[in-house]
Amino acid sequence: MTSISGITAIALGAALSMTAGLALAGDNVISADQISKALQPKPLTRGLSAGGQQVDPAVEAKEAKFVNSLRNRSTRSLSLGEREEVAQLAANKPKIDLDIQFDYNSDKITTTSMPSVQELGKALSDANLKGSTFVVAGHTDAIGGEAYNQDLSERRADTIKRYLTEKYGITGTDLVTVGYGKTKPKDPNAPMDPINRRVQVVNMDTKTASK
């Protein structure tokens, strides 16, 4: 009897281990709630304040004017200088990197990555985020030439925007697409690693606390 119980316990343990493994595999998709929380803007305060992040009204106005100028612009119309300015502004904004893969040498989203794009669509439909301006930035790994990767990253960013507007009704002018090719790897020490192939979403809006 003891022997049978022992075998049963081992079998049950193995079954639980397999279940845990499957659950872990499913955890690779970042949920809409996680994305929404990551993109929530941090409140800013004008002038001197004991708490919160301070902002210069003149700088804030200049930034807002620049971001507004990007709305309705095509991805390919952005100059190198504008792309770099977007990157500088995005450095201090709420953002999230999503592992969204595409078919080889294509801007078609892979079937396995579709759940991630769908979760993004749900997140950007959240009432707390609706109406904000988001940068959707495409990045590639370092395999291939610079011009090739630049073009591929732009096309892939455009694909995400198109999907979000068509399937989730996200306003097109609220999505600014930009491609960085292989110029901004997530892991500079391993530029050819697949981890660098990603889509970064940045909330460019700020909420200024009223005083």
Side-chain angles (χ1 to χ4, degrees):
M1 194 71 179
T2 307
S3 177
I4 294 173
S5 297
I7 292 169
T8 305
I10 291 169
L12 181 61
L16 287 172
S17 295
M18 286 175 68
T19 305
L22 289 171
L24 190 63
D27 287 344
N28 289 335
V29 176
I30 300 174
S31 71
D33 186 54
Q34 289 172 303
I35 296 171
S36 180
K37 285 178 180 174
L39 294 177
Q40 288 295 331
K42 295 175 182 176
L44 301 177
T45 55
R46 287 196 176 97
L48 296 173
S49 172
Q53 184 182 343
Q54 293 179 24
V55 62
D56 183 332
V59 172
E60 184 184 27
K62 183 181 177 183
E63 178 184 310
K65 184 178 179 182
F66 172 69
V67 171
N68 196 50
S69 74
L70 300 176
R71 294 159 70 96
N72 284 321
R73 293 275 299 279
S74 72
T75 312
R76 295 166 196 276
S77 73
L78 268 63
S79 67
L80 175 60
E82 287 172 326
R83 294 200 301 267
E84 287 305 313
E85 190 167 351
V86 169
Q88 287 174 17
L89 291 177
N92 298 315
K93 300 288 185 181
K95 67 182 74 64
I96 190 165
D97 280 348
L98 298 174
D99 181 21
I100 298 174
Q101 297 294 311
F102 298 81
D103 287 346
Y104 178 71
N105 191 25
S106 168
D107 56 11
K108 183 182 178 183
I109 304 164
T110 61
T111 305
T112 53
S113 288
M114 196 56 75
S116 295
V117 185
Q118 291 166 344
E119 291 301 305
L120 175 60
K122 292 176 194 173
L124 298 190
S125 301
D126 188 303
N128 292 323
L129 293 177
K130 218 164 186 179
S132 294
T133 303
F134 297 95
V135 163
V136 178
H139 299 267
T140 69
D141 57 33
I143 300 171
E146 198 165 311
Y148 168 83
N149 278 305
Q150 179 61 35
D151 177 71
L152 193 58
S153 67
E154 290 173 351
R155 284 164 46 209
R156 288 175 172 177
D158 284 341
T159 295
I160 299 298
K161 175 178 178 176
R162 190 163 54 249
Y163 186 89
L164 294 173
T165 55
E166 291 176 0
K167 303 294 184 182
Y168 289 89
I170 309 296
T171 305
T173 53
D174 291 342
L175 300 173
V176 173
T177 51
V178 57
Y180 288 106
K182 61 181 182 178
T183 63
K184 300 187 184 302
K186 187 169 185 176
D187 185 355
N189 295 318
M192 294 188 179
D193 195 294
I195 196 174
N196 299 303
R197 299 198 302 259
R198 69 200 191 282
V199 172
Q200 186 181 67
V201 183
V202 186
N203 187 347
M204 300 301 283
D205 285 359
T206 54
K207 289 181 180 176
T208 306
S210 55
K211 285 288 174 185

